[in-house]
Amino acid sequence: MEISEFRQRYIAAMRMSERSKIAELFRLADDLESVEKTEENYRILSDVYSHLDYYTKAYKYLSEVANPSNAKDAKKLYHLKDRMEQEGDRFAVKRPRKTKVCGSVKMPNFKYCSKPLEAGLFEETDMPEKCDCCGKGTNLIYSGPFYSEEDPDVLCPQCIASGKAAKKFHGEFVDSALALLLPDIPKANVTELCKKTPCYRGWQQEYWPAHCGDFCEFIAYVGWKEIVEMGLENSVEFATEAEGYSEHKEYIVNGGSCQGYLFRCLNCKKYILYVDCD
Ligand SMILES: [Zn+2]
Ligand SMILES: [Zn+2]
């Protein structure tokens, strides 16, 4: 089945950090309400509003296109009607308000991700937001995972690179328990990776491949289609943990439920592909 562009955005949003997800869902709702009113668009709108706890709209959109004799639709409608009658939009998520902060930080150098913006690990915003760690304004907001007890909303790239964010919130960007399992990598490199490197967002626990005695550099979220477009189909090496997927390359779709993560060895420059599924 062909997945619409809007459905893909919805799926991608579900994998973002809470803050980016909410912002993207509001953007998606605005875009969907301004385009052609198709059944699929109404279904996505209903899902978006249901996720944001706007049950009146979620129910309205689904009820216009649902097929009452379809058990799945009927169940969903019943649930939305119930939520609408119980709470309506009282607990709906508020549309993010941009607070004006001055100044903006620059992108520092990351050893294990030299082009973090292109790799999609930061979101670039029009107006700077306040970093929860240093308090400075930043247009570059980290959108990957951060494993800590506190869950800061906004982290600037400088606070990641300096290790300040990891120290202040006692957190890690990549799980060091996993990284330490790889043999022959100096402890300092594990610290660099886990505490000072922005991480991609995986379906499962993020795994970071190593090659030639060091961790690789993260390049991009990819599907097999992108690998072919980059001309890497014959040279890319599957990470040991993802070798099984080399027999099922067609399932690896960027933004799909079987996602590829492209890395490159810092030493021999070989491309390494890691894959996980939802
Ligand atoms: Zn900061
Ligand atoms: Zn290598």
Side-chain angles (χ1 to χ4, degrees):
M1 198 189 79
E2 188 77 11
I3 306 175
S4 75
E5 177 203 333
F6 290 116
R7 180 61 73 183
Q8 274 182 12
R9 276 178 62 188
Y10 178 76
I11 296 168
M14 286 301 132
R15 305 177 53 191
M16 294 174 177
S17 64
E18 195 57 25
R19 189 197 146 278
S20 312
K21 177 169 74 185
I22 300 300
E24 171 62 6
L25 287 180
F26 275 106
R27 275 194 297 268
L28 185 56
D30 292 345
D31 291 348
L32 277 164
E33 283 182 331
S34 67
V35 296
E36 203 193 340
K37 316 249 172 300
T38 64
E39 179 184 335
E40 173 66 356
N41 287 349
Y42 268 36
R43 285 183 183 274
I44 304 169
L45 267 170
S46 175
D47 287 345
V48 169
Y49 281 122
S50 167
H51 197 91
L52 295 169
D53 299 340
Y54 285 89
Y55 291 110
T56 314
K57 283 186 176 182
Y59 176 75
K60 187 191 105 188
Y61 282 118
L62 187 62
S63 65
E64 288 194 27
V65 294
N67 171 8
S69 57
N70 173 311
K72 223 172 148 188
D73 272 6
K75 198 173 154 198
K76 225 168 167 181
L77 268 181
Y78 177 83
H79 165 75
L80 289 176
K81 188 158 188 262
D82 182 54
R83 300 297 348 131
M84 180 175 78
E85 285 165 3
Q86 297 291 327
E87 58 182 84
D89 300 336
R90 260 182 300 147
F91 305 112
V93 177
K94 291 211 171 50
R95 191 176 271 271
R97 209 161 34 93
K98 303 273 181 193
T99 41
K100 207 168 160 60
V101 209
C102 288
S104 198
V105 297
K106 288 205 167 55
M107 190 65 88
N109 288 325
F110 293 105
K111 180 181 178 189
Y112 298 119
C113 188
S114 62
K115 295 201 169 87
L117 251 188
E118 289 87 335
L121 304 188
F122 286 88
E123 190 191 328
E124 208 170 4
T125 60
D126 296 336
M127 278 228 263
E129 292 187 36
K130 193 172 147 201
C131 171
D132 286 333
C133 183
C134 66
K136 290 181 192 149
T138 177
N139 287 92
L140 303 166
I141 297 164
Y142 177 55
S143 53
F146 182 52
Y147 300 103
S148 65
E149 263 176 47
E150 267 179 89
D151 193 12
D153 262 353
V154 178
L155 285 183
C156 78
Q158 295 285 354
C159 286
I160 298 177
S162 64
K164 201 172 161 186
K167 199 167 174 196
K168 180 167 180 174
F169 298 105
H170 307 284
E172 288 185 336
F173 299 95
V174 178
D175 185 2
S176 58
L178 268 183
L180 283 167
L181 291 178
L182 295 167
D184 311 327
I185 294 184
K187 202 105 186 265
N189 300 25
V190 174
T191 304
E192 174 75 32
L193 176 71
C194 300
K195 297 191 186 285
K196 300 179 176 180
T197 301
C199 185
Y200 67 93
R201 192 174 284 279
W203 279 120
Q204 309 299 331
Q205 169 105 58
E206 293 81 12
Y207 164 81
W208 206 283
H211 208 261
C212 298
D214 199 357
F215 295 109
C216 296
E217 166 183 19
F218 180 72
I219 303 293
Y221 290 99
V222 290
W224 190 252
K225 187 174 144 244
E226 286 75 23
I227 294 284
V228 173
E229 280 167 7
M230 291 162 94
L232 300 175
E233 70 269 36
N234 297 317
S235 58
V236 74
E237 188 176 295
F238 279 76
T240 321
E241 287 67 15
E243 250 163 20
Y245 293 100
S246 61
E247 303 293 322
H248 305 282
K249 300 183 179 99
E250 67 279 12
Y251 292 125
I252 310 166
V253 175
N254 192 23
S257 58
C258 194
Q259 174 72 49
Y261 311 94
L262 187 64
F263 290 83
R264 186 170 51 196
C265 174
L266 289 173
N267 296 304
C268 73
K269 307 293 176 198
K270 199 169 189 36
Y271 283 91
I272 312 288
L273 182 63
Y274 177 62
V275 184
D276 75 358
C277 286
D278 66 354

